[in-house]
Amino acid sequence: NEQKYKHQILEISSTSNLLRTRFKLVTAIGNSGACDKALPMILEGLGWIDDMATKLDSIEKEITNDSTDDTTENSSKSIIMSSVLSLKNANLDNKAYLLVAKSRCSGDVQGMASAAYEAVLARPQMDYVLKHAESVGSAVANIQQTGLDLHNIVTHWELENEASQ
């Protein structure tokens, strides 16, 4: 069982690292105005995160319910649990980052606000997430002051050089 857990943790850790790279990639793609290409990658990454969360919860439950008397600080169980907790934190970071990317690539203001809110729920103390949510919240407040329905406000990306022509 111990080897199985170590293998699963290694696999999840590798995927977690890939997700950090994916966030950078989808941010660059989105910043270039190609959100139509970034969004499927964002959604796929969020799916991976959900899968990893399920696997980590399962490992944690199995380790917690393991009745062996191996509870010393340096025990294999303790090391595995420490890895699980670390990966859960990394998973939440990756989720928050991808949700910000999803918010930025949303096709409407309601979707943008919803994804920004989900990002705050995932990582309420992360400055990056809070700054984005504050920016979106300000835009939403401005729109609401006009009396327009958020569902009817479509977002559109323009490259900087296109906007100035």
Side-chain angles (χ1 to χ4, degrees):
N1 254 2
E2 199 173 296
Q3 281 304 112
K4 178 183 90 170
Y5 297 137
K6 287 180 181 178
H7 177 74
Q8 287 175 328
I9 286 170
L10 186 60
E11 185 179 287
I12 292 168
S13 179
S14 177
T15 304
S16 181
N17 290 333
L18 285 173
L19 282 166
R20 275 189 224 107
T21 302
R22 177 167 288 223
F23 164 70
K24 293 172 186 173
L25 177 63
V26 297
T27 298
I29 292 171
N31 287 345
S32 76
C35 280
D36 58 323
K37 291 183 174 83
L39 199 53
M41 295 173 69
I42 293 167
L43 297 176
E44 181 181 46
L46 290 169
W48 292 349
I49 288 168
D50 289 342
D51 291 346
M52 289 188 306
T54 300
K55 288 177 186 175
L56 289 168
D57 286 343
S58 175
I59 294 169
E60 184 177 35
K61 184 177 179 182
E62 287 178 34
I63 294 290
T64 302
N65 292 335
D66 185 359
S67 61
T68 60
D69 199 23
D70 189 17
T71 55
T72 62
E73 191 172 315
N74 292 324
S75 72
S76 294
K77 276 175 53 174
S78 180
I79 292 168
I80 292 169
M81 284 299 282
S82 177
S83 296
V84 166
L85 294 176
S86 176
L87 286 168
K88 281 185 166 195
N89 280 322
N91 215 25
L92 289 173
D93 287 349
N94 287 328
K95 183 175 186 172
Y97 284 130
L98 285 176
L99 285 167
V100 168
K102 180 181 177 184
S103 173
R104 288 187 171 151
C105 280
S106 179
D108 60 68
V109 174
Q110 181 64 41
M112 183 189 312
S114 178
Y117 178 73
E118 287 181 62
V120 170
L121 291 178
R123 271 298 192 225
Q125 303 300 323
M126 186 183 281
D127 283 343
Y128 178 77
V129 169
L130 293 175
K131 286 177 183 172
H132 176 72
E134 185 178 303
S135 170
V136 170
S138 177
V140 166
N142 289 339
I143 291 166
Q144 287 175 327
Q145 284 178 350
T146 67
L148 296 171
D149 183 350
L150 295 177
H151 292 92
N152 295 331
I153 307 296
V154 176
T155 57
H156 175 72
W157 279 85
E158 285 185 355
L159 294 176
E160 204 169 304
N161 61 351
E162 289 177 0
S164 62
Q165 291 179 353

